[in-house]
Amino acid sequence: IVRNPWDRVVSLFTWKSRNDPTLIPRKRYYHRLGFPFDEFGQTKKLFSEFVKNENEWETNDRFYIIDGELCVDFVIHYENLVDDIKEVCKRIGIKEIDLPHLKSGFRKGNHYSEYYDDESKKIVAERHKNDIRLFGYKFEKS
């Protein structure tokens, strides 16, 4: 299964932040006194640090790429998950399955592009260069 790499990394960050307090913006004492609290601005900073930490995330290249080339018959695109799962079922001759809706609702309304600065955008593009090359993913603005 492939996914727009920039969206995938934001999703991973959001998922990990559920259980990692270091990835969640914290109000400071002065915010309780009435100073504005820019939660998303702080989230963007934490996200940028997350992207720059090379040990935090990896690509899925090992599942479908050998020597830089695609080595599978079919790739499910996350953006087309339901239809692509139906196609897999059809190809292998089994009854279509209904997918459960898991992990939805964790990311609040911001488009993935809003999380990135220029450096983090380039890091994701470099690390996911195979997904970009093989599947034509692009960084899209909201």
Side-chain angles (χ1 to χ4, degrees):
I1 299 176
V2 297
R3 182 177 187 176
N4 177 301
W6 295 279
D7 190 33
R8 179 178 180 264
V9 175
V10 170
S11 179
L12 177 64
F13 170 79
T14 303
W15 181 250
K16 285 188 171 219
S17 70
R18 294 175 321 108
N19 297 313
D20 185 347
T22 66
L23 299 177
I24 299 171
R26 293 183 315 140
K27 285 187 175 182
R28 308 280 188 217
Y29 177 73
Y30 51 84
H31 293 123
R32 292 187 189 103
L33 296 174
F35 286 90
F37 178 59
D38 180 10
E39 182 176 0
F40 188 67
Q42 288 190 24
T43 299
K44 285 174 64 168
K45 289 177 186 175
L46 293 168
F47 175 75
S48 183
E49 292 169 14
F50 174 81
V51 169
K52 293 169 189 171
N53 182 347
E54 293 193 31
N55 297 323
E56 288 295 322
W57 53 277
E58 58 186 38
T59 70
N60 286 333
D61 288 2
R62 66 190 182 282
F63 297 121
Y64 47 79
I65 295 175
I66 296 176
D67 295 329
E69 296 303 320
L70 201 57
C71 65
V72 295
D73 295 332
F74 186 76
V75 176
I76 296 169
H77 290 78
Y78 180 83
E79 301 83 3
N80 202 24
L81 188 61
V82 172
D83 290 338
D84 285 356
I85 290 289
K86 286 179 183 178
E87 177 63 22
V88 169
C89 292
K90 180 178 151 188
R91 287 182 182 213
I92 63 175
I94 64 171
K95 182 181 172 190
E96 287 182 10
I97 58 174
D98 290 323
L99 296 175
H101 292 282
L102 304 172
K103 292 175 47 176
S104 63
F106 286 100
R107 188 179 352 162
K108 298 176 182 113
N110 297 88
H111 187 266
Y112 73 80
S113 63
E114 296 177 47
Y115 286 77
Y116 287 89
D117 56 29
D118 288 339
E119 185 179 3
S120 59
K121 185 167 60 170
K122 287 177 188 175
I123 290 169
V124 171
E126 177 58 32
R127 196 165 301 171
H128 288 274
K129 62 186 170 206
N130 285 322
D131 286 345
I132 294 165
R133 176 177 58 87
L134 293 169
F135 306 110
Y137 285 111
K138 293 178 171 58
F139 186 85
E140 299 169 347
K141 293 284 188 181
S142 58

